[in-house]
């Protein structure tokens, strides 16, 4: 994923997220795109805790918003995600 790839992403009727991929990518880093065409960097990570479901324990994930694309660069978002 590059900054120009992110800039080209089009909004849809519902918010959606795309994972960071390619060279230098960070596992758990996503770009969220809203119908209003707001693009934000989100970092999802496993807290190490689990929640009980009827059939099994599932990992509990938490999300942190790093910042809006344009204000925060892809490289800065990757650096922030690596430090979390």
């Amino acid at each position: 994923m590059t900054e120009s790839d992110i800039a080209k992403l089009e909004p849809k009727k519902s918010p959606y997220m795309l994972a960071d991929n390619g060279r230098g990518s960070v596992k758990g880093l996503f770009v969220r795109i809203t119908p209003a065409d707001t693009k934000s960097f989100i970092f999802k990570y496993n807290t190490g805790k689990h929640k009980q479901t009827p059939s099994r324990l599932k990992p509990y994930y938490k999300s942190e918003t790093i910042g809006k694309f344009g204000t925060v660069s892809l490289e800065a978002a990757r650096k922030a995600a690596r430090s979390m």
Side-chain angles (χ1 to χ4, degrees), residues 9-44:
L9 294 172
E10 296 290 329
K12 297 181 180 180
K13 289 183 181 181
S14 298
Y16 68 101
M17 295 192 336
L18 290 176
D20 186 18
N21 57 26
R23 279 185 87 142
S25 64
V26 176
K27 183 178 178 182
L29 181 62
F30 293 84
V31 176
R32 180 177 57 203
I33 302 92
T34 67
D37 200 24
T38 300
K39 298 169 185 158
S40 301
F41 293 107
I42 308 296
F43 184 60
K44 290 179 73 173

Side-chain angles (χ1 to χ4, degrees), residues 46-61:
N46 184 334
T47 63
K49 297 179 182 178
H50 292 79
K51 59 185 172 183
Q52 182 68 50
T53 65
S55 59
R56 63 190 166 108
L57 285 174
K58 291 178 70 175
Y60 183 73
Y61 291 92

